[in-house]
Amino acid sequence: MLKGRHLIEPDDLSVSEIDEICSLAEQMIVDPVSFQDVCRGKILATLFFEPSTRTRLSFEAAMLHLGGAVEGFADAACTSSTKGESLADTIRVVSSYVDVIAMRNPKEGAALLASRYSACPIINAGDGGHSHPTQTLTDMVAIRRLCGGFAGHTIGFCGDLKFGRTVHSLTQAMCRYPGNKFVFISPRELRMPDYVLKNVLEPAGAAYETAERLEDVIGTLDILYMTRVQKERFFNEQDYIRLKDSYILDRGKMKLAKQKMIVLHPLPRVNEIAPEVDDDPRAAYFKQVRYGMFARMALISKLTGSL
């Protein structure tokens, strides 16, 4: 039963609950009209203390497609936090008005803190470099639709694996399914953190390897998950400038890949995927964006008890 629950990180959902949400999302993709009044009378608050385009608009579109309403903010400068109001008090106030809250905050652990003071479900829409569980649901709906299921894949993650919360979350979710192998492709400075390897992958018995060149491993992959090098996560701009163009997926690299490999990306993209790749049928990142709205529709429906 998901009604009234918080979603702070992927492990808050069991494997069966992930399957349930993804199945509902697929029903919504096929027949959206049947769900257009599911959340009528419900209100979603979008509290975005950090800039976002896709995630915020996806949440808002999801609630509107379900027949509900939306309120909130996209800029923390417009809130009472500029007057010194604590996050706990903001959540106490907002949760007294609405039925569910989607919150993004640059501080790791902010969503968990919010859940302790909220009178309604909190959905973590990203907390620093920690977790982004609804992007994970987005990714998993895409994988299920395009690859037929969640098990038995070789998944390559390329780019910023140190600060990439989407990478950490999807790894955490996919290692719970049998037969998946992980390939982590990055510069040494942006490698997957040891705590993910030792606390997530190794206890699950999941196979993984690391590489520094995409060309060396792309031919083994069923799924390639590209990420941008995030300027906002660096303390030293010179390090960002030195590393930002480390990995660019282009037509030449795509020639080395399997014909049925899919390319995913949480977006926004900067220049890590050349525009020439967009026309390749294996490029699935814009389909992935659309699936994200349906993943959030399914999640909102479940947490509010509407379905």
Side-chain angles (χ1 to χ4, degrees), residues 12 65 135 225 238 307:
D12 290 336
H65 277 290
Q135 180 63 51
Y225 197 96
Q238 290 305 311
L307 285 176

Side-chain angles (χ1 to χ4, degrees), residues 16-255:
S16 63
E17 288 167 342
I18 290 173
D19 291 341
E20 178 184 353
I21 292 168
C22 290
S23 293
L24 178 57
E26 287 198 281
Q27 293 174 42
M28 291 173 166
I29 291 168
V30 173
D31 184 18
V33 175
S34 294
F35 300 91
Q36 63 186 5
D37 292 315
V38 161
C39 285
R40 189 159 301 281
K42 305 284 188 182
I43 302 173
L44 165 74
T46 51
L47 310 185
F48 278 68
F49 295 87
E50 186 179 48
S52 169
T53 303
R54 276 147 299 278
T55 302
R56 181 176 61 85
L57 294 181
S58 178
F59 268 111
E60 293 179 357
M63 191 52 147
L64 294 173
H65 277 290
L66 292 168
V70 178
E71 65 178 22
F73 56 83
D75 185 352
C78 301
T79 74
S80 291
S81 63
T82 61
K83 303 174 186 177
E85 182 176 58
S86 68
L87 176 62
D89 283 0
T90 298
I91 295 299
R92 284 186 178 107
V93 170
V94 175
S95 68
S96 69
Y97 302 149
V98 304
D99 301 283
V100 60
I101 294 172
M103 187 185 82
R104 171 169 288 184
N105 194 292
K107 296 181 180 178
E108 296 183 9
L112 179 61
L113 176 66
S115 71
R116 293 174 177 165
Y117 296 95
S118 181
C120 69
I122 294 286
I123 302 173
N124 182 6
D127 60 334
H130 175 234
S131 194
H132 194 351
T134 64
Q135 180 63 51
T136 302
L137 289 174
T138 294
D139 301 338
M140 294 186 79
V141 171
I143 289 169
R144 179 165 162 158
R145 296 251 337 144
L146 300 173
C147 300
F150 299 134
H153 304 301
T154 299
I155 308 164
F157 292 95
C158 182
D160 180 0
L161 309 187
K162 181 177 181 179
F163 299 108
R165 60 192 170 201
T166 61
V167 169
H168 303 166
S169 292
L170 185 56
T171 299
Q172 188 176 359
M174 291 297 288
C175 76
R176 298 163 76 182
Y177 293 86
N180 288 326
K181 178 182 177 180
F182 300 85
V183 182
F184 300 120
I185 310 143
S186 71
R188 291 182 182 180
E189 294 92 336
L190 297 177
R191 285 182 296 190
M192 183 68 87
D194 283 344
Y195 75 84
V196 177
L197 303 180
K198 298 189 181 303
N199 298 340
V200 176
L201 287 165
E202 292 177 7
Y208 68 88
E209 64 178 274
T210 61
E212 292 190 17
R213 283 170 41 88
L214 178 57
E215 298 93 323
D216 291 343
V217 295
I218 192 170
T220 69
L221 306 178
D222 302 306
I223 300 163
L224 173 58
Y225 197 96
M226 295 294 296
T227 67
R228 70 186 173 96
V229 176
Q230 302 176 82
K231 183 177 182 179
E232 62 268 31
R233 304 296 178 206
F234 280 84
F235 294 107
N236 185 328
E237 187 173 0
Q238 290 305 311
D239 286 343
Y240 167 73
I241 292 170
R242 179 170 55 86
L243 294 171
K244 68 184 178 71
D245 294 331
S246 296
Y247 299 92
I248 298 175
L249 182 66
D250 55 22
R251 191 174 290 139
K253 293 186 181 71
M254 289 296 288
K255 288 180 179 178

